[in-house]
Amino acid sequence: MAIQIKPLTNKNEKRWNEFIKGPNKAGVWYTLEWQKILKEEYGYTPFYLLAEEDGNVCGVLPLFQIKSFITGNRLVSLPFSYDCGPIATSDEVLTLLINEARRLVSELNCDYLELKMQKPIPEAVVRDTQLLVNEYYFTSVLKLANDPKDNWKRLDTRRTRWAVNKAIRSGVKIRTETTEDDIKVFHDLKVRTRKKHGSPAPSLRFFMKIMHEFAPKGLVKLWVAEYDEKVVSGLMFYSFKDIMIPAFVASDDRYNSYMPNNLLYWKAIEWGCKNGYRYFDFGRTEPGNKSLLKFKSKWGTDNYKIPYYYYPKKPNLISTSRGSLKVNLITGFWKRMPVPLLKILGPYLLKHIG
């Protein structure tokens, strides 16, 4: 029986879930919980593709259409996800999924298709589907040992180990059982952290949805660092199959000298080692952000370029234009805006960025 590419429906959701939980590279962003979060928060239209052969699922490709008068009309796999491209059991299936995505680009009159990958698509598939590759971002992945002491030995002695130990000596405490009030405090810290960098932050509702959809299934945790019984930083991380991803971190600048973020990261890594996780994925980094890449490297990560694929053209991404006068003016303006206004405007702007 020929391979068929079908849209995801209520009838085949169960098989989608079974496939992404199997022995493949599907991560937390392939879950239907994440689809629900993006639909409800940003109003994007999903186009989830499922490949079948002889009644068995052999590939998936989640897509969302983003229509914006600011950033254009595009098909993305996936918004607010840095690694969520097509997964298939063969190059033939991979080609069919990408070709169906290309067809949707034409049907929906999109400017382009964006496939975010952590590993390269085979060259023959790239050629046959006329994809264009852009290797711009780095990713940093830490291999977790069974014994956290082995990971501790890999930490940079002069900076990272020192920072973790300083947090402990300073009396910073990590609390892993958090409440709705902690989410509110964490969101406020995130808005203020993003303000410092001149970039928008998600809404409180977005964080609430993540906790509501993921936490009961054990897919997300929010831990907070406290100093003198005050929450001074927080780390929200995903955990799916054998991978942990620190999705959001935020802190109160007044307490950064106590190194609470370093202790949060270490406690999460330690927890991952003890609970059978194999990788701690620090996520993508822009090449211009050398200080962030250096910070991740000191945890013992492997750093490498990740490929994003486009059809029929490569867009002029905002992230690749951060040094431009226009972008600098926008970020400078954002840094001067009051926090209450940023909480309103940030989610609206993010909806257009995706």
Side-chain angles (χ1 to χ4, degrees), residues 175 179-192 204 207-208 222 224-225 230-234 250-252 343:
R175 180 158 51 83
T179 66
E180 188 171 299
D181 286 339
D182 291 319
I183 302 174
K184 294 176 182 178
V185 172
F186 177 72
H187 172 252
D188 185 74
L189 290 175
K190 191 61 184 175
V191 174
R192 295 175 188 275
L204 172 61
F207 289 124
M208 291 289 191
L222 172 64
V224 296
K230 174 184 172 63
V231 174
V232 297
S233 70
S251 59
D252 188 328
K343 290 182 178 181

Side-chain angles (χ1 to χ4, degrees), residues 1-220:
M1 186 175 179
I3 299 166
Q4 295 180 303
I5 307 299
K6 300 179 179 180
L8 181 67
T9 65
N10 292 337
K11 292 182 179 180
N12 53 28
E13 281 186 354
K14 182 179 179 181
R15 283 184 290 164
W16 176 287
N17 286 329
E18 290 172 348
F19 181 81
I20 67 168
K21 291 176 182 177
N24 52 51
K25 296 297 183 181
V28 69
W29 293 308
Y30 290 80
T31 64
L32 298 184
E33 289 85 1
W34 184 241
Q35 182 202 64
K36 182 179 179 181
I37 291 167
L38 294 182
K39 282 173 63 178
E40 293 182 352
E41 177 66 11
Y42 296 108
Y44 300 144
T45 303
F47 292 89
Y48 278 42
L49 305 177
L50 186 146
E52 287 186 351
E53 184 176 22
D54 297 328
N56 298 313
V57 177
C58 52
V60 295
L61 173 53
L63 295 159
F64 268 101
Q65 182 185 17
I66 302 176
K67 296 183 70 173
S68 165
F69 67 89
I70 298 175
T71 57
N73 180 17
R74 58 205 189 275
L75 201 58
V76 181
S77 180
L78 277 179
F80 306 106
S81 318
Y82 94 92
D83 171 25
C84 198
I87 291 179
T89 57
S90 69
D91 288 358
E92 180 185 6
V93 176
L94 194 59
T95 299
L96 291 172
L97 284 167
I98 296 171
N99 280 337
E100 178 61 14
R102 292 171 61 211
R103 187 193 67 78
L104 284 171
V105 167
S106 177
E107 180 182 302
L108 300 171
N109 198 29
C110 294
D111 300 321
Y112 63 87
L113 165 71
E114 180 179 46
L115 301 175
K116 302 175 181 179
M117 307 290 292
Q118 195 176 68
K119 299 293 183 181
I121 294 174
E123 290 185 9
V125 177
V126 172
R127 182 178 62 251
D128 291 344
T129 55
Q130 301 178 17
L131 294 177
L132 302 171
V133 64
N134 182 18
E135 293 184 333
Y136 177 73
Y137 297 105
F138 283 94
T139 191
S140 303
V141 180
L142 174 66
K143 294 179 182 177
L144 299 180
N146 294 327
D147 187 341
K149 291 180 181 178
D150 293 331
N151 278 106
W152 178 259
K153 293 175 183 176
R154 295 179 61 187
L155 303 186
D156 178 82
T157 305
R158 295 181 58 188
R159 186 62 186 171
T160 309
R161 280 199 221 172
W162 172 85
V164 173
N165 285 327
K166 181 177 182 181
I168 296 171
R169 290 194 306 268
S170 299
V172 175
K173 305 294 183 183
I174 303 302
R175 180 158 51 83
T176 61
E177 296 296 327
T178 49
T179 66
E180 188 171 299
D181 286 339
D182 291 319
I183 302 174
K184 294 176 182 178
V185 172
F186 177 72
H187 172 252
D188 185 74
L189 290 175
K190 191 61 184 175
V191 174
R192 295 175 188 275
T193 299
R194 289 279 181 92
K195 170 183 166 70
K196 180 177 65 177
H197 297 291
S199 59
S203 68
L204 172 61
R205 182 179 60 244
F206 180 70
F207 289 124
M208 291 289 191
K209 287 181 184 295
I210 289 175
M211 296 303 294
H212 175 75
E213 292 294 332
F214 281 163
K217 300 175 177 67
L219 301 181
V220 71

